[in-house]
Amino acid sequence: MNIDEAKAYLYGEGRFNGGKANHKVLRDILEALGNPDEGRKKIHIVGTNGKGSVAAYSAYILAAAGYKVAQYSSPDIYRFGERMRILDGRSGNKDWSKDPKVGEISDEDLCKYLNRTRAVVENMDIPDELQPNYFDFLLLVAFQYFAEYDCDVWVVEAGIGARLDATNVIGSPEVAVITAIGKDHVEKLGDTLEKIAIEKSYLLKEGCKALCIYDQREVIPDKSEALKVMRVFEEKAASFDIPVVKLDLDNIDIISRNLEGQKFNFTDKSLGIDLDLETKLLPDFEPLNAALAISACKVLDSSLLDEDIAYGVLTCYWPARLEKISNDPIVLIDGAHNPQGARALRSSLDRLLEEGDEEIHIYTSMRDKDQYNCLREIFKSSKLTALICSTLEDYDRALENDELFNLATEVLNESFTDEENRPIIYNSNNIETAVKMAFDLYKDKLEIVKARNNKIVIVNWGSFYTAKGFRQACEIELEKYKEEAK
């Protein structure tokens, strides 16, 4: 099959939303494929927020140290190949640090491994209700890709959970990593943070070298809830005699942060670390995420050199996490899609921007998300002057813009009791129109804001699925803006 046929197969027969393959079935398929994942060193990462950037930092650090690293992540933002990438540090060529496309699975390899997997699956007697789904097929393809190219270390980011996640088919990882726990996918993982933590604790298995985690009190406002979550993980680790490496903000000293990046010091005497570091990633929790990745890599290989760690953190790229795609105007893309993510976005913007700066937001959301509390978090700043509610056309899971607009108006009225500093809410039925509206608002406000030595930023958030279309629409508007400025 060619690449179009391959993608049609992956999405076909209800595979994206259907199929209930369990780990036994996946293990049987992997065995028929020659057990490509066995005998590989692995870092397994779960969490609600932050796990993608922790995976990326880990991969970049280990590649800088000379390892050939497999990185498995989801979802893809701009290109399908982002889901499975090889960073070849063994070759000594550091192209992977300059171009994020280097090492992504090619269309030819995707088709080859999918063909092989399809043939195996169709030759097995698997009940209809246990047929592999879209995510299972991606994992099976990725594991073959990583094995055939002989990767030294596999950095595996889980999807929505651990117990229910396809990635948990792997055996005991060398290092388990847990990032921020928040409420998301509650219909599958549970409606309390403690229930969600229990689901995610299933990545811990006998034989794991260490659990690397940051104190959940850093990310969960309710301290009693945070302690319950920590107790789940610590007790599960203790049951397997797994040491716990716990970080908190006391390990991190922020030196500076702006729209170009962040400089910070990370100190952990137990791991022999005292480093001044720089990351280009802008969210305010990125220093802690980088520190968590460093801890995991040091557990895996205690001989890592400081300069390799620093290079990996500095060059790490991870898309749509407060990613700046333009300087004039300043345009940011963020994947915040749950209240914890929205809180982190609000906090990051407040720290990166100055008093008097203004924000124009474009917000989209999937139906199954908590839009009410996301909006409550975002409205906690007078910098927000305009919110454009939009939707993803031809996407069944997307919340309609009219419904989002009405909810935003309701939350706005609750959050602002008078007209002072009250943002204006706009309605758009597609991303292209929303982006044009944002640029028009920007141009209308620009002279007034510049006169008081402030700036305006355009921010898109609410769903990773919006990022690609938003970026494409921005490129069109940016070309128009440059022509008008001549």
Side-chain angles (χ1 to χ4, degrees):
M1 65 179 89
N2 60 34
I3 189 60
D4 292 331
E5 292 168 335
K7 290 181 178 179
Y9 178 78
L10 285 170
Y11 281 98
E13 300 178 21
R15 251 185 289 277
F16 190 78
N17 296 313
K20 297 179 181 179
N22 59 25
H23 293 129
K24 183 182 182 308
V25 171
L26 279 176
R27 190 72 259 165
D28 289 345
I29 298 170
L30 284 167
E31 185 173 350
L33 290 166
N35 293 313
D37 60 316
E38 289 193 352
R40 314 286 175 172
K41 292 182 178 179
K42 301 182 190 72
I43 297 176
H44 195 192
I45 304 167
V46 306
T48 307
N49 293 308
K51 60 185 182 293
S53 59
V54 172
Y57 282 123
S58 300
Y60 274 74
I61 290 166
L62 291 169
Y67 287 96
K68 192 172 188 179
V69 186
Q71 182 185 350
Y72 182 76
S73 299
S74 65
D76 54 284
I77 306 298
Y78 304 129
R79 299 174 305 279
F80 186 85
E82 292 167 349
R83 289 177 174 268
M84 44 198 89
R85 186 184 178 204
I86 295 172
L87 288 69
D88 186 3
R90 198 193 300 162
S91 68
N93 185 328
K94 293 187 176 179
D95 284 352
W96 48 267
S97 68
K98 304 177 184 73
D99 183 353
K101 295 188 290 294
V102 171
E104 291 180 358
I105 191 168
S106 66
D107 289 351
E108 292 76 18
D109 277 337
L110 173 62
C111 293
K112 178 175 76 172
Y113 300 125
L114 183 58
N115 267 326
R116 185 185 297 170
T117 307
R118 179 180 180 177
V120 165
V121 169
E122 291 178 353
N123 196 45
M124 297 174 68
D125 187 20
I126 302 174
D128 290 345
E129 68 274 14
L130 296 179
Q131 285 289 321
N133 62 23
Y134 173 83
F135 302 100
D136 300 326
F137 269 108
L138 291 183
L139 178 131
L140 294 165
V141 166
F143 281 11
Q144 293 172 79
Y145 177 52
F146 298 153
E148 202 151 299
Y149 284 86
D150 190 29
C151 294
D152 304 312
V153 182
W154 295 16
V155 179
V156 180
E157 177 198 349
I160 67 167
R163 184 178 69 88
L164 297 173
D165 197 76
T167 63
N168 213 35
V169 71
I170 64 175
S172 180
E174 272 63 33
V175 188
V177 181
I178 297 173
T179 64
I181 301 301
K183 285 188 178 179
D184 203 0
H185 301 288
V186 294
E187 72 287 351
K188 294 181 179 178
L189 302 179
D191 57 2
T192 69
L193 294 178
E194 188 174 19
K195 289 177 182 177
I196 292 169
I198 290 169
E199 289 291 315
K200 293 185 185 291
S201 73
Y202 277 83
L203 91 160
L204 296 170
K205 307 179 186 77
E206 188 173 1
C208 183
K209 276 188 180 181
L211 163 62
C212 295
I213 185 172
Y214 42 63
D215 192 329
Q216 295 296 306
R217 286 175 293 186
E218 307 291 0
V219 291
I220 299 174
D222 187 324
K223 304 310 175 191
S224 64
E225 286 292 309
L227 288 172
K228 289 178 184 176
V229 168
M230 287 302 294
R231 190 176 302 118
V232 168
F233 295 132
E234 289 171 340
E235 289 179 356
K236 188 68 171 283
S239 72
F240 292 120
D241 206 21
I242 299 171
V244 177
V245 178
K246 184 168 67 175
L247 299 178
D248 57 42
L249 289 177
D250 290 339
N251 295 100
I252 308 293
D253 181 24
I254 303 298
I255 299 169
S256 66
R257 55 163 52 105
N258 54 43
L259 286 165
E260 301 304 315
Q262 305 182 69
K263 295 180 180 179
F264 62 99
N265 175 270
F266 170 40
T267 302
D268 189 322
K269 292 180 180 178
S270 68
L271 295 171
I273 297 169
D274 186 355
L275 291 172
D276 287 339
L277 301 161
E278 182 177 355
T279 177
K280 294 174 184 174
L281 304 190
L282 300 180
D284 61 1
F285 265 92
E286 287 306 333
L288 196 56
N289 286 335
L292 190 61
I294 293 166
S295 299
C297 293
K298 285 288 275 188
V299 168
L300 188 78
D301 181 357
S302 61
S303 67
L304 289 178
L305 299 177
D306 290 353
E307 56 262 38
D308 292 333
I309 294 172
Y311 185 84
V313 173
L314 176 63
T315 57
C316 178
Y317 169 76
W318 196 230
R321 277 70 174 183
L322 209 54
E323 179 185 5
K324 184 173 64 169
I325 64 168
S326 171
N327 279 309
D328 181 22
I330 298 168
V331 181
L332 304 169
I333 304 177
D334 193 73
H337 55 274
N338 53 43
Q340 190 179 64
R343 189 183 313 121
L345 173 60
R346 180 71 272 154
S347 173
S348 298
L349 290 171
D350 287 343
R351 294 184 183 189
L352 289 168
L353 302 180
E354 300 172 358
E355 193 67 32
D357 290 345
E358 295 191 16
E359 302 166 8
I360 299 168
H361 286 211
I362 297 174
Y363 178 38
T364 58
S365 179
M366 298 298 104
R367 287 189 171 278
D368 58 349
K369 303 303 177 183
D370 183 356
Q371 299 89 14
Y372 177 84
N373 283 305
C374 286
L375 287 162
R376 286 190 63 185
E377 294 293 342
I378 290 297
F379 281 148
K380 291 178 180 178
S381 175
S382 61
K383 295 185 180 74
L384 177 63
T385 57
L387 176 76
I388 303 168
C389 296
S390 190
T391 190
L392 284 170
E393 293 180 295
D394 304 320
Y395 201 91
D396 291 341
R397 282 185 58 210
L399 185 67
E400 290 297 325
N401 53 290
D402 288 341
E403 193 173 343
L404 188 58
F405 175 83
N406 291 335
L407 177 61
T409 302
E410 176 189 328
V411 180
L412 179 74
N413 291 332
E414 293 175 6
S415 303
F416 293 86
T417 56
D418 56 46
E419 294 299 316
E420 188 177 359
N421 297 323
R422 182 185 175 99
I424 300 173
I425 303 179
Y426 300 86
N427 195 357
S428 169
N429 62 4
N430 61 70
I431 290 297
E432 293 78 13
T433 304
V435 170
K436 185 180 185 308
M437 289 171 66
F439 272 74
D440 288 344
L441 286 168
Y442 174 87
K443 287 180 278 190
D444 289 345
K445 291 170 171 281
L446 185 58
E447 292 306 316
I448 297 172
V449 174
K450 282 176 69 176
R452 59 174 197 258
N453 293 318
N454 284 112
K455 55 186 173 291
I456 311 172
V457 299
I458 297 171
V459 186
N460 175 71
W461 63 280
S463 173
F464 286 119
Y465 296 106
T466 313
K468 184 176 181 179
F470 172 81
R471 185 164 191 155
Q472 290 171 340
C474 276
E475 288 170 357
I476 294 170
E477 293 302 321
L478 284 167
E479 282 300 316
K480 293 179 185 176
Y481 179 77
K482 289 175 185 176
E483 286 297 317
E484 293 169 3
K486 286 181 180 179

